[in-house]
Amino acid sequence: MRPGRIIAKAVLAFAGFLAVFPLLWTALNSLKNSVDIITRVPRLVFTPTLANISYILGRDSVITGLYNSVVACGTAVLIGVVLGLPAAYAVARYPNRWAGDIQFFVLSLRFLPPVAVAIPLMVIWLQLGLYDTLPALIVTYSLLTISVIMWLAIPAFQAVPKEIEEAAFVDGYGAYAVFWRIALPVAARSLIGAVAFSFVLVWNEFLIALMLSSSNAKTLPIVASELSQQGMNVPWGILNASVVLLSLPPLLFLGVLSGFLNSVFRQKKT
Amino acid sequence: MPRRSSLPVTFVVPTLVILLILSMVPTLYAIIIALQNRELSSTAYSWVWFSNFVDLFSDRRFLNAVWVSVKWEVVTVVATMVVAIGLGVLMFEVASPRLRNLYCLLFIIPVLLPRVSAAFVWKFAYHPLYGIATYPYRLLTGGLIFDPLSKPSTALFAVASVDVWQWGLFFAVIVLKLLETLPPQPIEAARLDHARRWQIHAYVTLPMLKAPLISLMFVKMIESLRSFDLIYVMTRGGPGVATETLDMYAFSQGFIESGKVSYASAMAVLMMIATVITFTMLWKRVQA
């Protein structure tokens, strides 16, 4: 048993190292000059420079990409919250014979290959004169955020103890007041997790943004991927810096999402 | 709960109508485009009905893309589940509660990264001369070059490793949480019968978790289809067509090489039909 345990612990430690080391290395590379990156033996000791980061933050394309990403993702998530949360609550609390079908429909939107959605939408937006604009991107992303938020919020609302809501009805609350004053606040922690999840999903989205934008509406992932196509002299340091910038917003939700996972599985137990 | 309230209608109907419009319009339009001969360069088009679909089946690159996609699905789904169950069980067995929390936090990080970021991180790491992942090889062989991304035999696995890095570690956290929700009695009973630890998991705990594990696999099958960004950044379908999946080929036919939007759409429609039928059947079986 003893050697087995030691090996098991070593494997786990190695997996933990593997999980974060590549990202830490990238962060380190973003602080290096090219000469310190392009070495046959990786260099841990070097003179740090902020040149890459200031180059990235000084570029118009990056700032536009950042702005587009924030506006497109933020608005789409907002639409997802406004339309998705009430719908999820109604499906969870007012069961009818369509509830199962609605849930399956919402999930099945996830089966659609992104290419199959992006090609026709490109043609549609071109015809409407909205191609390469933020509204087109926001509408397209809303499909994603509404369905994901609904999918995750239905179980969150179901987990709210029915007795609390019934007590509120007895106290004379209307159906809408129960939703606002009781269900939303009680389920809030799980709901925030669901919303954060949908944000990470659209922030990370690439294919649809790539096909629906050509210059004005490019999001940050597209801008970052284009930086790598600058001919033979790959600007490694700059690329590493842009990877770090792109990765920061989703990582900010690390705590929220891990709390969300915990609450989801705690509910299953009871 | 009061039976008569306008709430379900006002809450559900607008959302569903919007979802239906947002999903049905592109879906139907994809089918319409696939039956025409639209190109990016001109606005003229005519109806060609099924000739795009007929052409696809004599297109060797398309058949290759189907094969690559199938390989990609099998490799990533199987490897993700193996890594997830392996690490999940290890955490359950040897990690203290405090360490478990730490590992859970670390293992969620890769999946949060945008795929574009993950792809870049590993593209540097796999660089034959300067990469950190290829460094041990250079060190051991005295400077020989190992270039996994540009060899046809290894490229798919090199890209798949990034996908497994992102999802396998994340799913390990979920497997651990699933194990933690199990009742302890059957495990203790098996222990009293002198079952070895791996036997306990192989014959007791994992069979108890069959249903959630199958759901997890189902989720991974869906997510594996969204690997375009990873492949686009790391190999662009290359070397040759070694990593050209269906969405990659559809994208390059429709936008990069020839602008044959209708041809690309025909491919996307076939993909859509295949995934909707497969996943609907699987879902009904999982639920049953």
Short mmCIF file of all heavy atoms in Angstrom, two decimals, chain A residues 1 13 18-19 38 40 42 83 86 90 94 104 110 112 115 120 122 127 169 176 204 206 211 229 236 240 247 250 262, chain B residues 2 6-7 10-12 15 26 29 40 103 112 114 117 124 129-130 135 138 165 177 197 223 226 229 236 247 255 283:
data_model
loop_
_atom_site.label_atom_id
_atom_site.label_comp_id
_atom_site.label_asym_id
_atom_site.label_seq_id
_atom_site.Cartn_x
_atom_site.Cartn_y
_atom_site.Cartn_z
N MET A 1 0.83 -1.22 0.00
CA MET A 1 0.00 0.00 0.00
C MET A 1 0.86 1.26 0.00
O MET A 1 0.60 2.21 -0.68
CB MET A 1 -0.90 -0.02 1.23
CG MET A 1 -2.32 0.37 0.92
SD MET A 1 -2.99 -0.58 -0.46
CE MET A 1 -4.13 0.59 -1.12
N ALA A 13 0.29 15.37 -7.78
CA ALA A 13 1.07 16.59 -7.72
C ALA A 13 1.51 17.01 -9.12
O ALA A 13 1.48 18.18 -9.49
CB ALA A 13 2.29 16.40 -6.81
N LEU A 18 0.96 20.37 -13.93
CA LEU A 18 0.65 20.45 -15.36
C LEU A 18 -0.53 21.40 -15.62
O LEU A 18 -0.62 22.02 -16.68
CB LEU A 18 0.30 19.05 -15.87
CG LEU A 18 0.72 18.69 -17.29
CD1 LEU A 18 2.21 18.89 -17.46
CD2 LEU A 18 0.34 17.25 -17.58
N ALA A 19 -1.42 21.50 -14.64
CA ALA A 19 -2.61 22.33 -14.83
C ALA A 19 -2.24 23.80 -14.94
O ALA A 19 -2.81 24.53 -15.75
CB ALA A 19 -3.61 22.10 -13.69
N ILE A 38 13.59 33.12 -26.99
CA ILE A 38 14.14 32.25 -28.02
C ILE A 38 15.49 31.72 -27.58
O ILE A 38 16.53 32.17 -28.00
CB ILE A 38 14.24 33.00 -29.36
CG1 ILE A 38 12.86 33.57 -29.68
CG2 ILE A 38 14.68 32.09 -30.49
CD1 ILE A 38 12.81 34.41 -30.91
N ARG A 40 17.42 27.83 -26.45
CA ARG A 40 17.23 26.38 -26.50
C ARG A 40 17.03 25.81 -25.11
O ARG A 40 16.38 24.79 -24.94
CB ARG A 40 18.41 25.74 -27.19
CG ARG A 40 18.44 26.20 -28.63
CD ARG A 40 19.24 25.29 -29.51
NE ARG A 40 19.00 25.68 -30.87
CZ ARG A 40 18.83 24.83 -31.87
NH1 ARG A 40 18.86 23.55 -31.63
NH2 ARG A 40 18.61 25.26 -33.09
N PRO A 42 15.36 26.69 -21.59
CA PRO A 42 14.43 27.68 -21.02
C PRO A 42 15.09 28.50 -19.91
O PRO A 42 15.83 27.96 -19.09
CB PRO A 42 13.31 26.81 -20.44
CG PRO A 42 13.40 25.53 -21.18
CD PRO A 42 14.83 25.33 -21.55
N LEU A 83 -34.06 37.37 -20.19
CA LEU A 83 -34.99 36.43 -20.82
C LEU A 83 -34.88 35.02 -20.24
O LEU A 83 -35.87 34.29 -20.17
CB LEU A 83 -34.74 36.37 -22.33
CG LEU A 83 -35.14 37.62 -23.11
CD1 LEU A 83 -34.67 37.53 -24.54
CD2 LEU A 83 -36.64 37.82 -23.06
N PRO A 86 -36.25 34.34 -15.89
CA PRO A 86 -37.69 34.17 -15.68
C PRO A 86 -38.21 32.90 -16.34
O PRO A 86 -38.99 32.15 -15.74
CB PRO A 86 -38.29 35.41 -16.33
CG PRO A 86 -37.20 36.41 -16.37
CD PRO A 86 -35.94 35.61 -16.54
N ALA A 90 -40.13 29.76 -14.51
CA ALA A 90 -41.46 29.27 -14.88
C ALA A 90 -41.43 27.77 -15.19
O ALA A 90 -42.31 27.02 -14.78
CB ALA A 90 -42.00 30.06 -16.07
N TYR A 94 -43.67 25.89 -12.53
CA TYR A 94 -45.03 25.68 -13.02
C TYR A 94 -45.00 24.52 -14.00
O TYR A 94 -45.03 24.71 -15.21
CB TYR A 94 -45.57 26.94 -13.68
CG TYR A 94 -45.77 28.08 -12.71
CD1 TYR A 94 -44.71 28.88 -12.33
CD2 TYR A 94 -47.02 28.32 -12.15
CE1 TYR A 94 -44.86 29.91 -11.41
CE2 TYR A 94 -47.20 29.34 -11.23
CZ TYR A 94 -46.11 30.13 -10.87
OH TYR A 94 -46.29 31.14 -9.96
N PHE A 104 -35.39 19.90 -23.26
CA PHE A 104 -34.64 19.22 -24.32
C PHE A 104 -34.34 20.18 -25.47
O PHE A 104 -33.24 20.18 -26.02
CB PHE A 104 -35.38 18.00 -24.84
CG PHE A 104 -34.62 17.29 -25.91
CD1 PHE A 104 -33.45 16.60 -25.60
CD2 PHE A 104 -35.02 17.34 -27.24
CE1 PHE A 104 -32.72 15.97 -26.58
CE2 PHE A 104 -34.28 16.71 -28.23
CZ PHE A 104 -33.13 16.03 -27.90
N ARG A 110 -27.44 23.32 -28.13
CA ARG A 110 -26.01 23.09 -27.96
C ARG A 110 -25.48 22.09 -28.99
O ARG A 110 -24.30 22.03 -29.23
CB ARG A 110 -25.81 22.59 -26.53
CG ARG A 110 -24.44 22.76 -25.96
CD ARG A 110 -24.17 24.12 -25.41
NE ARG A 110 -22.73 24.21 -25.16
CZ ARG A 110 -21.95 25.18 -25.61
NH1 ARG A 110 -22.45 26.16 -26.29
NH2 ARG A 110 -20.67 25.17 -25.37
N LEU A 112 -26.16 22.10 -32.16
CA LEU A 112 -25.97 22.72 -33.46
C LEU A 112 -24.49 23.04 -33.66
O LEU A 112 -23.90 23.74 -32.85
CB LEU A 112 -26.78 24.02 -33.55
CG LEU A 112 -28.29 23.89 -33.50
CD1 LEU A 112 -28.93 25.27 -33.57
CD2 LEU A 112 -28.80 23.02 -34.64
N VAL A 115 -20.52 26.12 -37.10
CA VAL A 115 -20.40 26.47 -38.52
C VAL A 115 -21.78 26.54 -39.16
O VAL A 115 -22.04 27.41 -39.99
CB VAL A 115 -19.63 25.42 -39.35
CG1 VAL A 115 -18.74 26.09 -40.35
CG2 VAL A 115 -18.94 24.42 -38.50
N PRO A 120 -25.11 30.61 -42.46
CA PRO A 120 -26.33 31.32 -42.86
C PRO A 120 -26.44 32.70 -42.22
O PRO A 120 -26.89 33.64 -42.87
CB PRO A 120 -27.46 30.40 -42.38
CG PRO A 120 -26.84 29.51 -41.38
CD PRO A 120 -25.42 29.34 -41.78
N MET A 122 -24.09 34.72 -41.51
CA MET A 122 -23.25 35.65 -42.25
C MET A 122 -24.01 36.18 -43.47
O MET A 122 -24.02 37.39 -43.73
CB MET A 122 -21.99 34.92 -42.69
CG MET A 122 -20.91 35.85 -43.13
SD MET A 122 -19.52 34.89 -43.68
CE MET A 122 -19.44 35.48 -45.33
N GLN A 127 -27.09 40.57 -45.96
CA GLN A 127 -28.26 41.08 -46.67
C GLN A 127 -28.94 42.21 -45.91
O GLN A 127 -29.50 43.12 -46.50
CB GLN A 127 -29.26 39.94 -46.93
CG GLN A 127 -28.82 39.05 -48.09
CD GLN A 127 -29.67 37.81 -48.22
OE1 GLN A 127 -30.44 37.47 -47.34
NE2 GLN A 127 -29.51 37.12 -49.35
N PHE A 169 -46.72 32.87 -0.47
CA PHE A 169 -48.07 32.97 -1.06
C PHE A 169 -49.11 33.16 0.03
O PHE A 169 -50.03 33.97 -0.09
CB PHE A 169 -48.40 31.71 -1.86
CG PHE A 169 -47.82 31.71 -3.24
CD1 PHE A 169 -46.91 30.74 -3.63
CD2 PHE A 169 -48.18 32.70 -4.16
CE1 PHE A 169 -46.37 30.75 -4.89
CE2 PHE A 169 -47.64 32.70 -5.43
CZ PHE A 169 -46.73 31.72 -5.80
N TYR A 176 -45.50 37.03 -9.08
CA TYR A 176 -44.32 37.80 -9.51
C TYR A 176 -43.49 38.23 -8.32
O TYR A 176 -42.26 38.22 -8.38
CB TYR A 176 -44.74 39.02 -10.32
CG TYR A 176 -45.38 38.64 -11.63
CD1 TYR A 176 -46.76 38.47 -11.74
CD2 TYR A 176 -44.60 38.41 -12.76
CE1 TYR A 176 -47.35 38.10 -12.93
CE2 TYR A 176 -45.18 38.04 -13.96
CZ TYR A 176 -46.55 37.88 -14.05
OH TYR A 176 -47.11 37.50 -15.22
N ASN A 204 -15.04 33.27 -24.55
CA ASN A 204 -14.09 32.36 -25.18
C ASN A 204 -14.48 32.01 -26.61
O ASN A 204 -13.71 31.37 -27.31
CB ASN A 204 -14.00 31.06 -24.37
CG ASN A 204 -13.42 31.30 -23.00
OD1 ASN A 204 -13.01 32.41 -22.67
ND2 ASN A 204 -13.38 30.27 -22.19
N PHE A 206 -15.08 31.73 -30.52
CA PHE A 206 -14.14 32.13 -31.55
C PHE A 206 -14.72 32.04 -32.96
O PHE A 206 -14.73 33.02 -33.69
CB PHE A 206 -12.89 31.24 -31.44
CG PHE A 206 -11.83 31.57 -32.45
CD1 PHE A 206 -11.05 32.71 -32.31
CD2 PHE A 206 -11.61 30.74 -33.53
CE1 PHE A 206 -10.06 33.01 -33.23
CE2 PHE A 206 -10.62 31.04 -34.46
CZ PHE A 206 -9.86 32.18 -34.30
N MET A 211 -16.34 34.51 -38.14
CA MET A 211 -17.09 34.55 -39.38
C MET A 211 -18.02 35.75 -39.48
O MET A 211 -18.40 36.15 -40.57
CB MET A 211 -17.90 33.25 -39.53
CG MET A 211 -16.99 32.10 -39.95
SD MET A 211 -17.76 30.52 -39.76
CE MET A 211 -18.11 30.09 -41.43
N GLN A 229 -0.02 35.96 -36.94
CA GLN A 229 0.19 35.80 -38.37
C GLN A 229 1.03 36.93 -38.95
O GLN A 229 0.79 37.38 -40.07
CB GLN A 229 -1.17 35.72 -39.08
CG GLN A 229 -1.97 34.52 -38.64
CD GLN A 229 -3.44 34.74 -38.83
OE1 GLN A 229 -3.86 35.53 -39.65
NE2 GLN A 229 -4.25 34.03 -38.06
N TRP A 236 7.05 36.75 -30.18
CA TRP A 236 6.67 35.84 -29.10
C TRP A 236 6.22 36.55 -27.84
O TRP A 236 5.21 36.20 -27.24
CB TRP A 236 7.84 34.93 -28.75
CG TRP A 236 8.24 34.00 -29.85
CD1 TRP A 236 9.35 34.08 -30.63
CD2 TRP A 236 7.51 32.86 -30.32
NE1 TRP A 236 9.36 33.07 -31.54
CE2 TRP A 236 8.26 32.31 -31.38
CE3 TRP A 236 6.30 32.27 -29.96
CZ2 TRP A 236 7.83 31.18 -32.08
CZ3 TRP A 236 5.89 31.15 -30.64
CH2 TRP A 236 6.64 30.62 -31.69
N ASN A 240 2.54 36.28 -26.13
CA ASN A 240 2.33 35.79 -24.76
C ASN A 240 1.56 36.80 -23.93
O ASN A 240 0.68 36.44 -23.16
CB ASN A 240 3.67 35.47 -24.10
CG ASN A 240 4.22 34.12 -24.54
OD1 ASN A 240 3.62 33.09 -24.24
ND2 ASN A 240 5.30 34.12 -25.27
N SER A 247 -6.87 35.83 -21.26
CA SER A 247 -7.25 34.82 -20.28
C SER A 247 -7.70 35.40 -18.95
O SER A 247 -8.33 34.70 -18.16
CB SER A 247 -6.07 33.88 -20.01
OG SER A 247 -5.52 33.43 -21.22
N PRO A 250 -11.90 35.50 -17.86
CA PRO A 250 -12.50 34.24 -17.40
C PRO A 250 -11.92 33.79 -16.07
O PRO A 250 -12.64 33.26 -15.23
CB PRO A 250 -12.16 33.24 -18.50
CG PRO A 250 -11.82 34.03 -19.69
CD PRO A 250 -11.31 35.34 -19.21
N ASN A 262 -19.55 23.45 -6.29
CA ASN A 262 -19.80 22.89 -4.96
C ASN A 262 -21.28 22.90 -4.63
O ASN A 262 -21.81 21.93 -4.12
CB ASN A 262 -19.03 23.69 -3.90
CG ASN A 262 -17.56 23.28 -3.89
OD1 ASN A 262 -17.24 22.14 -4.20
ND2 ASN A 262 -16.70 24.22 -3.55
N PRO B 2 -50.57 29.08 -6.32
CA PRO B 2 -51.82 29.41 -7.01
C PRO B 2 -51.77 28.88 -8.43
O PRO B 2 -50.79 29.06 -9.14
CB PRO B 2 -51.85 30.94 -6.99
CG PRO B 2 -50.45 31.35 -6.81
CD PRO B 2 -49.75 30.26 -6.07
N SER B 6 -50.66 34.52 -14.51
CA SER B 6 -50.18 34.77 -15.86
C SER B 6 -48.68 34.54 -15.97
O SER B 6 -48.12 34.57 -17.05
CB SER B 6 -50.50 36.21 -16.27
OG SER B 6 -49.86 37.09 -15.37
N LEU B 7 -48.04 34.27 -14.79
CA LEU B 7 -46.58 34.21 -14.78
C LEU B 7 -45.97 33.22 -15.77
O LEU B 7 -45.08 33.59 -16.54
CB LEU B 7 -46.09 33.93 -13.35
CG LEU B 7 -44.57 33.89 -13.16
CD1 LEU B 7 -44.16 34.58 -11.89
CD2 LEU B 7 -44.04 32.47 -13.21
N THR B 10 -46.18 34.71 -19.36
CA THR B 10 -45.36 35.91 -19.63
C THR B 10 -43.88 35.63 -19.48
O THR B 10 -43.06 36.29 -20.08
CB THR B 10 -45.72 37.08 -18.68
OG1 THR B 10 -45.74 36.57 -17.35
CG2 THR B 10 -47.05 37.69 -19.02
N PHE B 11 -43.52 34.63 -18.67
CA PHE B 11 -42.10 34.34 -18.47
C PHE B 11 -41.54 33.43 -19.56
O PHE B 11 -40.41 33.59 -19.98
CB PHE B 11 -41.87 33.69 -17.09
CG PHE B 11 -41.68 34.70 -15.99
CD1 PHE B 11 -42.03 36.04 -16.20
CD2 PHE B 11 -41.17 34.32 -14.75
CE1 PHE B 11 -41.87 36.97 -15.18
CE2 PHE B 11 -41.00 35.26 -13.73
CZ PHE B 11 -41.35 36.59 -13.95
N VAL B 12 -42.35 32.46 -19.99
CA VAL B 12 -41.80 31.45 -20.90
C VAL B 12 -41.99 31.83 -22.36
O VAL B 12 -41.06 31.70 -23.17
CB VAL B 12 -42.43 30.06 -20.62
CG1 VAL B 12 -42.04 29.08 -21.71
CG2 VAL B 12 -41.97 29.55 -19.28
N THR B 15 -39.48 34.29 -24.25
CA THR B 15 -38.14 33.71 -24.35
C THR B 15 -38.11 32.59 -25.38
O THR B 15 -37.20 32.52 -26.21
CB THR B 15 -37.72 33.16 -22.97
OG1 THR B 15 -37.81 34.21 -22.03
CG2 THR B 15 -36.31 32.63 -23.02
N PRO B 26 -31.54 30.63 -38.74
CA PRO B 26 -30.28 30.17 -39.34
C PRO B 26 -30.32 28.72 -39.80
O PRO B 26 -29.73 28.38 -40.82
CB PRO B 26 -29.24 30.34 -38.22
CG PRO B 26 -29.91 30.99 -37.10
CD PRO B 26 -31.36 31.11 -37.37
N TYR B 29 -32.22 28.53 -43.01
CA TYR B 29 -31.46 29.25 -44.02
C TYR B 29 -30.22 28.45 -44.44
O TYR B 29 -29.85 28.47 -45.61
CB TYR B 29 -31.05 30.62 -43.47
CG TYR B 29 -31.02 31.68 -44.53
CD1 TYR B 29 -32.20 32.10 -45.15
CD2 TYR B 29 -29.82 32.25 -44.94
CE1 TYR B 29 -32.17 33.06 -46.13
CE2 TYR B 29 -29.79 33.22 -45.92
CZ TYR B 29 -30.97 33.62 -46.51
OH TYR B 29 -30.94 34.56 -47.50
N LEU B 40 -19.09 33.58 -52.26
CA LEU B 40 -18.84 34.82 -51.53
C LEU B 40 -18.63 35.99 -52.49
O LEU B 40 -19.01 37.12 -52.20
CB LEU B 40 -17.57 34.68 -50.68
CG LEU B 40 -17.74 34.32 -49.22
CD1 LEU B 40 -16.42 34.46 -48.51
CD2 LEU B 40 -18.79 35.20 -48.55
N TYR B 103 -6.48 21.11 -5.35
CA TYR B 103 -6.45 20.48 -6.67
C TYR B 103 -7.67 20.88 -7.49
O TYR B 103 -7.57 21.13 -8.69
CB TYR B 103 -6.38 18.96 -6.54
CG TYR B 103 -4.99 18.44 -6.22
CD1 TYR B 103 -4.78 17.53 -5.20
CD2 TYR B 103 -3.89 18.87 -6.95
CE1 TYR B 103 -3.52 17.06 -4.90
CE2 TYR B 103 -2.62 18.41 -6.66
CZ TYR B 103 -2.43 17.51 -5.63
OH TYR B 103 -1.17 17.05 -5.34
N LEU B 112 -11.19 27.16 -18.03
CA LEU B 112 -11.68 28.54 -18.11
C LEU B 112 -10.98 29.33 -19.20
O LEU B 112 -11.50 30.33 -19.69
CB LEU B 112 -11.47 29.26 -16.77
CG LEU B 112 -12.36 28.81 -15.63
CD1 LEU B 112 -12.11 29.67 -14.41
CD2 LEU B 112 -13.81 28.89 -16.03
N PRO B 114 -9.80 30.75 -22.60
CA PRO B 114 -10.31 30.70 -23.96
C PRO B 114 -9.51 29.66 -24.74
O PRO B 114 -8.31 29.51 -24.52
CB PRO B 114 -10.04 32.11 -24.49
CG PRO B 114 -9.91 32.96 -23.29
CD PRO B 114 -9.36 32.08 -22.21
N SER B 117 -6.43 30.96 -26.23
CA SER B 117 -5.31 31.08 -25.30
C SER B 117 -4.66 29.73 -25.07
O SER B 117 -3.43 29.60 -25.13
CB SER B 117 -5.77 31.62 -23.95
OG SER B 117 -6.21 32.92 -24.07
N PHE B 124 3.32 27.33 -28.20
CA PHE B 124 4.68 27.70 -27.77
C PHE B 124 5.36 26.52 -27.12
O PHE B 124 6.53 26.25 -27.34
CB PHE B 124 4.68 28.82 -26.72
CG PHE B 124 4.01 30.06 -27.12
CD1 PHE B 124 3.09 30.67 -26.29
CD2 PHE B 124 4.29 30.65 -28.34
CE1 PHE B 124 2.46 31.84 -26.66
CE2 PHE B 124 3.66 31.81 -28.71
CZ PHE B 124 2.74 32.41 -27.87
N LEU B 129 12.16 24.08 -31.12
CA LEU B 129 13.45 24.62 -30.68
C LEU B 129 13.38 25.29 -29.32
O LEU B 129 14.30 25.19 -28.52
CB LEU B 129 13.97 25.64 -31.71
CG LEU B 129 14.39 25.07 -33.06
CD1 LEU B 129 14.79 26.21 -34.00
CD2 LEU B 129 15.56 24.10 -32.88
N TYR B 130 12.30 26.01 -29.09
CA TYR B 130 12.25 26.84 -27.87
C TYR B 130 11.16 26.41 -26.88
O TYR B 130 11.00 27.03 -25.84
CB TYR B 130 12.01 28.31 -28.25
CG TYR B 130 12.80 28.74 -29.46
CD1 TYR B 130 12.16 29.23 -30.60
CD2 TYR B 130 14.19 28.64 -29.47
CE1 TYR B 130 12.88 29.62 -31.71
CE2 TYR B 130 14.92 29.00 -30.59
CZ TYR B 130 14.27 29.51 -31.71
OH TYR B 130 14.98 29.88 -32.80
N TYR B 135 11.38 20.60 -24.31
CA TYR B 135 12.70 20.77 -23.71
C TYR B 135 13.25 19.47 -23.12
O TYR B 135 14.42 19.14 -23.37
CB TYR B 135 12.67 21.88 -22.66
CG TYR B 135 13.95 22.01 -21.89
CD1 TYR B 135 15.12 22.39 -22.54
CD2 TYR B 135 14.00 21.73 -20.53
CE1 TYR B 135 16.32 22.49 -21.84
CE2 TYR B 135 15.19 21.82 -19.83
CZ TYR B 135 16.35 22.21 -20.48
OH TYR B 135 17.51 22.30 -19.79
N ARG B 138 14.76 17.51 -25.84
CA ARG B 138 16.03 18.09 -26.32
C ARG B 138 17.15 17.79 -25.33
O ARG B 138 18.27 17.47 -25.70
CB ARG B 138 15.90 19.60 -26.49
CG ARG B 138 15.01 20.03 -27.63
CD ARG B 138 15.27 21.48 -28.03
NE ARG B 138 15.03 22.43 -26.97
CZ ARG B 138 13.83 22.91 -26.64
NH1 ARG B 138 12.77 22.51 -27.30
NH2 ARG B 138 13.69 23.76 -25.66
N TRP B 165 -6.22 18.28 -21.72
CA TRP B 165 -5.70 19.13 -20.64
C TRP B 165 -6.81 20.01 -20.10
O TRP B 165 -6.97 20.20 -18.89
CB TRP B 165 -4.54 19.97 -21.19
CG TRP B 165 -3.92 20.95 -20.23
CD1 TRP B 165 -3.20 20.65 -19.12
CD2 TRP B 165 -3.94 22.38 -20.34
NE1 TRP B 165 -2.77 21.81 -18.52
CE2 TRP B 165 -3.21 22.89 -19.25
CE3 TRP B 165 -4.50 23.27 -21.25
CZ2 TRP B 165 -3.03 24.25 -19.04
CZ3 TRP B 165 -4.31 24.63 -21.04
CH2 TRP B 165 -3.59 25.10 -19.96
N LYS B 177 -16.33 15.13 -6.98
CA LYS B 177 -17.54 15.58 -6.27
C LYS B 177 -18.62 14.50 -6.32
O LYS B 177 -19.38 14.32 -5.37
CB LYS B 177 -18.09 16.86 -6.89
CG LYS B 177 -17.05 17.93 -7.09
CD LYS B 177 -17.26 19.12 -6.21
CE LYS B 177 -16.05 19.98 -6.31
NZ LYS B 177 -15.82 20.86 -5.22
N ARG B 197 -8.34 -1.47 -3.06
CA ARG B 197 -8.91 -0.16 -3.34
C ARG B 197 -9.38 -0.03 -4.79
O ARG B 197 -10.44 0.51 -5.07
CB ARG B 197 -7.90 0.93 -3.03
CG ARG B 197 -7.90 1.21 -1.56
CD ARG B 197 -6.79 2.13 -1.16
NE ARG B 197 -6.77 2.18 0.28
CZ ARG B 197 -7.16 3.24 0.98
NH1 ARG B 197 -7.58 4.31 0.37
NH2 ARG B 197 -7.13 3.21 2.28
N GLU B 223 -19.10 18.85 -26.63
CA GLU B 223 -18.06 19.89 -26.59
C GLU B 223 -16.90 19.56 -27.54
O GLU B 223 -16.27 20.46 -28.07
CB GLU B 223 -17.55 20.08 -25.16
CG GLU B 223 -18.56 20.69 -24.21
CD GLU B 223 -19.15 21.99 -24.72
OE1 GLU B 223 -18.41 22.80 -25.30
OE2 GLU B 223 -20.37 22.19 -24.57
N ARG B 226 -16.76 21.17 -30.83
CA ARG B 226 -16.43 22.59 -30.93
C ARG B 226 -14.93 22.78 -30.78
O ARG B 226 -14.47 23.53 -29.94
CB ARG B 226 -17.12 23.36 -29.82
CG ARG B 226 -18.57 23.26 -29.96
CD ARG B 226 -19.32 23.60 -28.71
NE ARG B 226 -20.70 23.34 -29.02
CZ ARG B 226 -21.53 24.26 -29.49
NH1 ARG B 226 -21.12 25.49 -29.61
NH2 ARG B 226 -22.75 23.95 -29.81
N ASP B 229 -11.52 26.27 -32.86
CA ASP B 229 -10.54 27.28 -32.45
C ASP B 229 -9.18 26.67 -32.13
O ASP B 229 -8.15 27.22 -32.49
CB ASP B 229 -11.02 28.14 -31.28
CG ASP B 229 -12.24 27.59 -30.61
OD1 ASP B 229 -12.50 26.38 -30.77
OD2 ASP B 229 -12.93 28.34 -29.92
N ARG B 236 -4.14 24.79 -38.23
CA ARG B 236 -4.92 25.14 -39.42
C ARG B 236 -5.29 23.92 -40.25
O ARG B 236 -5.33 23.99 -41.48
CB ARG B 236 -4.14 26.09 -40.32
CG ARG B 236 -3.85 27.39 -39.66
CD ARG B 236 -4.61 28.48 -40.34
NE ARG B 236 -4.60 29.62 -39.46
CZ ARG B 236 -4.93 30.82 -39.80
NH1 ARG B 236 -5.31 31.06 -41.03
NH2 ARG B 236 -4.93 31.80 -38.94
N ASP B 247 -15.56 20.96 -39.44
CA ASP B 247 -15.80 22.41 -39.38
C ASP B 247 -14.63 23.19 -39.95
O ASP B 247 -14.81 24.23 -40.57
CB ASP B 247 -16.20 22.89 -37.98
CG ASP B 247 -15.36 22.28 -36.88
OD1 ASP B 247 -14.40 21.55 -37.20
OD2 ASP B 247 -15.67 22.53 -35.71
N PHE B 255 -14.62 30.09 -46.92
CA PHE B 255 -14.09 31.42 -46.69
C PHE B 255 -12.66 31.64 -47.13
O PHE B 255 -12.33 32.69 -47.62
CB PHE B 255 -14.23 31.78 -45.21
CG PHE B 255 -15.65 31.76 -44.81
CD1 PHE B 255 -16.21 30.63 -44.27
CD2 PHE B 255 -16.46 32.86 -45.05
CE1 PHE B 255 -17.54 30.59 -43.95
CE2 PHE B 255 -17.79 32.82 -44.74
CZ PHE B 255 -18.33 31.67 -44.19
N TRP B 283 -29.52 10.97 -26.01
CA TRP B 283 -30.16 11.65 -24.88
C TRP B 283 -31.38 10.89 -24.40
O TRP B 283 -31.58 10.69 -23.21
CB TRP B 283 -30.54 13.07 -25.30
CG TRP B 283 -31.30 13.81 -24.25
CD1 TRP B 283 -32.63 14.10 -24.28
CD2 TRP B 283 -30.79 14.35 -23.04
NE1 TRP B 283 -32.97 14.79 -23.16
CE2 TRP B 283 -31.87 14.96 -22.38
CE3 TRP B 283 -29.52 14.38 -22.46
CZ2 TRP B 283 -31.72 15.59 -21.15
CZ3 TRP B 283 -29.38 15.00 -21.24
CH2 TRP B 283 -30.46 15.60 -20.60
#
